[in-house]
Amino acid sequence: MKHLNVSRYELYEQYEKNQLKPLPKEHFELYEWRKAKVNIDYHVQFECNYYSVPCHYVHKNVEIRITTNTIEIYLSNKMIAVHKRLFLVGKYSTYKEHMPQSHQKHVEWTPERMLKWASNIGVSTKTCFEIMISRTQHPEQGFRSCLGILRLGQQYSNLRLENACLRALNTDQVSFKSVKNILKNNLDKIIITETKKNVINIEHENIRGSDYYN
């Protein structure tokens, strides 16, 4: 820089140093974005895990910012919730402050209403709902599975759904996935009756039975 009669360092001190901003306190981290919809249980789903947002955002479309260790949830570019990322399947991260107050519970979505809908289908369906709701830490977390089962009734008929729930109860496999698989594979059309302890008698048109061989 002889032609300017000044060194590069002197120019840095004079013009550039005061324009610099501090380095970030945290290291740069890669992240990705996903779109989601807040379910009636005020949770959003990512990789088979569930993260809560304030309950008044139910049915809203949101964006999820995923980093190595956190799940950030945004609505209209505003962060409405942040959670530690879960890596085990089927887990819930729920903040108490996101839950509806006892005197402000959603009128539309309550365990009582879920069970009333189920009882209109049958006793077995209602019993399955009671089991699924009782398994969760908060009743609202069981609503997702209950609504999924109700949709199966629309797809296959309520009569078949009731039979599928009965089979799920008899085999001690009460879940949305189990009921769905029973219907998909027509297992609800196989009648199961308990004849003796630990002995199951299966009646089906494709099974000849013991009398055939006598």
Side-chain angles (χ1 to χ4, degrees):
M1 306 289 288
K2 290 183 179 180
H3 63 288
L4 297 177
N5 196 30
V6 64
S7 69
R8 289 183 174 84
Y9 183 78
E10 289 173 329
L11 289 175
Y12 160 75
E13 288 281 342
Q14 184 176 357
Y15 297 107
E16 298 177 351
K17 184 176 181 179
N18 293 333
Q19 302 301 319
L20 296 178
K21 296 181 180 180
L23 292 174
K25 295 181 180 180
E26 300 178 355
H27 292 292
F28 175 77
E29 186 176 15
L30 292 174
Y31 59 86
E32 59 177 308
W33 289 90
R34 297 283 182 87
K35 293 183 178 181
K37 188 173 184 177
V38 182
N39 203 279
I40 60 167
D41 60 359
Y42 54 89
H43 286 70
V44 297
Q45 179 179 352
F46 173 70
E47 290 186 342
C48 298
N49 289 312
Y50 307 94
Y51 303 88
S52 68
V53 301
C55 61
H56 53 271
Y57 291 120
V58 165
H59 299 315
K60 296 292 186 180
N61 293 312
V62 297
E63 290 185 313
I64 306 175
R65 183 178 184 262
I66 304 107
T67 72
T68 304
N69 297 305
T70 62
I71 298 292
E72 302 171 359
I73 305 168
Y74 291 81
L75 178 64
S76 301
N77 297 319
K78 177 184 177 182
M79 183 189 292
I80 59 175
V82 58
H83 295 262
K84 185 177 180 180
R85 185 173 175 179
L86 301 172
F87 292 96
L88 297 176
V89 175
K91 299 297 182 180
Y92 280 82
S93 177
T94 305
Y95 292 135
K96 187 176 181 180
E97 57 267 28
H98 291 168
M99 299 173 61
Q101 299 296 322
S102 58
H103 61 283
Q104 294 177 336
K105 285 187 176 180
H106 300 301
V107 175
E108 183 179 6
W109 309 111
T110 64
E112 291 75 18
R113 187 167 189 182
M114 290 288 176
L115 295 177
K116 183 178 180 180
W117 285 342
S119 64
N120 291 333
I121 298 173
V123 175
S124 297
T125 305
K126 181 181 179 182
T127 304
C128 284
F129 276 34
E130 289 173 339
I131 292 174
M132 289 189 297
I133 292 174
S134 66
R135 284 175 178 169
T136 59
Q137 183 179 3
H138 307 293
E140 293 88 347
Q141 294 174 354
F143 292 173
R144 187 188 301 262
S145 297
C146 292
L147 288 177
I149 288 180
L150 289 175
R151 285 192 292 270
L152 292 176
Q154 297 173 358
Q155 181 179 354
Y156 291 97
S157 83
N158 286 344
L159 177 60
R160 289 193 61 188
L161 176 60
E162 174 68 5
N163 291 335
C165 288
L166 175 61
R167 185 178 182 88
L169 290 168
N170 285 337
T171 56
D172 195 26
Q173 295 181 347
V174 178
S175 68
F176 166 74
K177 184 177 181 180
S178 176
V179 174
K180 181 180 179 179
N181 287 336
I182 290 171
L183 290 166
K184 182 179 179 180
N185 295 292
N186 294 315
L187 298 178
D188 57 291
K189 298 178 180 179
I190 301 176
I191 301 174
I192 299 179
T193 58
E194 186 174 351
T195 56
K196 296 181 182 180
K197 187 176 182 179
N198 298 327
V199 177
I200 299 297
N201 180 41
I202 301 178
E203 301 176 15
H204 190 270
E205 59 184 4
N206 294 331
I207 300 178
R208 296 188 180 96
S210 58
D211 294 339
Y212 178 86
Y213 299 96
N214 294 332

